[in-house]
Amino acid sequence: MQDPNADTEWNDALRRHGILPAKKEKEFTEDEIVNLVENTVQEKLREDGQKRIEDMTIEELDFIEDEEDERVLLEYRQKRLQEMKEQAAKEIFGDVRDISAVDYVEQVNNAGPGVWVVLHLYKQGIPLCTMLNNYLYRLSKKFPAVKFLRSISDTCIANYPDKNLPTIFVYYEGQMKHKLIGPEAFGNLNFKADELEWMLAEMGVLKTDLECNPRKQVEDVLLSSLRGSCLGSDDW
């Protein structure tokens, strides 16, 4: 009797017509799979006219490593160039632009996909407003992918109360995401540019290179000074 598992044309025909069951796929062990892969690699090397890896000299192996390193570096360089091109395409601002009410929709709501907008409402003669304008100008140079705008408050929003100044509105893709309203939001004239940068970074507007919250550093120093003063007073 003919073996139904034998690889013959007759058995293949019977299998196609469903008379014999289909052959089971051979199950490979992990070691067999590793050997198959290794044999495939070695066969490819022979087809390409290369030696088996175990037959290569130290110099030949070093050469292969150098080629691999060069390939990896080239791929990394191409990736970085692409990232730099994409970043440069976003960095189209780099200044603080003045707007009025008629510009609001176009400049803020229609800023475009992926664009963060930081709008400062201010008035001349308010020291904290003046200070924030200076900070925003510096940040606009450091983060040219962010659209920094400013507008005299009552020319942008009719009857906007002075008690709410300074005000910063933060938009992303036309939607307001954050707002900082009034002097209390910023502290006082000791408020630093680094603190504003950190606040915007926490909102997701920009990626800062600051390692920690500058305001917390100041608070820690003040607390340490107060503790020192209290300890000193006990000595009297």
Side-chain angles (χ1 to χ4, degrees):
M1 182 177 178
Q2 186 169 343
D3 183 2
N5 294 317
D7 288 324
T8 65
E9 293 183 5
W10 175 249
N11 282 348
D12 289 342
L14 293 177
R15 291 188 190 101
R16 287 196 297 272
H17 289 86
I19 299 171
L20 286 179
K23 287 184 62 177
K24 292 183 178 180
E25 294 288 339
K26 179 182 177 182
E27 295 184 1
F28 292 93
T29 66
E30 290 187 9
D31 290 340
E32 287 175 327
I33 291 172
V34 170
N35 289 334
L36 280 172
V37 172
E38 179 63 23
N39 290 337
T40 301
V41 171
Q42 296 299 342
E43 182 63 30
K44 179 61 179 171
L45 287 172
R46 286 194 292 272
E47 288 175 1
D48 294 340
Q50 299 181 34
K51 292 183 179 179
R52 289 163 49 91
I53 291 177
E54 55 266 33
D55 296 333
M56 291 184 177
T57 64
I58 295 297
E59 291 76 11
E60 289 170 331
L61 289 171
D62 287 343
F63 180 75
I64 288 180
E65 289 179 0
D66 290 343
E67 282 190 331
E68 181 65 16
D69 290 344
E70 187 176 346
R71 183 187 63 78
V72 171
L73 288 173
L74 182 59
E75 288 180 357
Y76 177 76
R77 180 175 179 274
Q78 290 172 339
K79 181 181 177 182
R80 286 293 297 127
L81 283 173
Q82 182 62 30
E83 290 174 350
M84 291 168 64
K85 286 179 181 178
E86 292 174 358
Q87 185 62 28
K90 296 177 182 177
E91 295 178 349
I92 58 176
F93 303 112
D95 206 347
V96 181
R97 304 180 185 180
D98 291 283
I99 66 167
S100 62
V102 296
D103 307 313
Y104 202 100
V105 172
E106 179 185 355
Q107 295 294 327
V108 178
N109 299 98
N110 297 336
V115 176
W116 283 95
V117 178
V118 178
L119 171 63
H120 178 211
L121 300 184
Y122 74 102
K123 261 191 177 177
Q124 300 288 354
I126 299 178
L128 192 51
C129 288
T130 302
M131 187 172 70
L132 281 178
N133 275 332
N134 290 332
Y135 292 168
L136 291 174
Y137 178 76
R138 288 158 58 180
L139 289 175
S140 73
K141 300 300 182 185
K142 186 175 181 180
F143 302 99
V146 180
K147 190 174 188 179
F148 289 95
L149 304 172
R150 69 178 187 178
S151 180
I152 296 175
S153 56
D154 51 12
T155 66
C156 188
I157 302 174
N159 303 315
Y160 194 77
D162 288 356
K163 68 177 182 178
N164 288 348
L165 300 179
T167 290
I168 286 182
F169 293 142
V170 177
Y171 283 77
Y172 181 70
E173 296 187 341
Q175 300 296 318
M176 184 184 290
K177 298 297 183 181
H178 306 278
K179 49 186 179 292
L180 302 169
I181 299 176
E184 297 79 11
F186 305 95
N188 51 40
L189 290 175
N190 291 325
F191 185 71
K192 304 298 182 185
D194 283 353
E195 294 178 59
L196 179 58
E197 180 177 334
W198 186 266
M199 291 167 70
L200 293 176
E202 287 193 318
M203 296 176 188
V205 177
L206 48 84
K207 291 184 179 180
T208 181
D209 53 6
L210 299 173
E211 295 182 355
C212 58
N213 187 345
R215 178 174 287 185
K216 188 176 185 307
Q217 285 182 307
V218 173
E219 291 173 352
D220 289 345
V221 170
L222 289 173
L223 286 172
S224 297
S225 298
L226 288 172
R227 291 192 192 99
S229 298
C230 292
L231 289 172
S233 64
D234 293 339
D235 295 336
W236 290 92

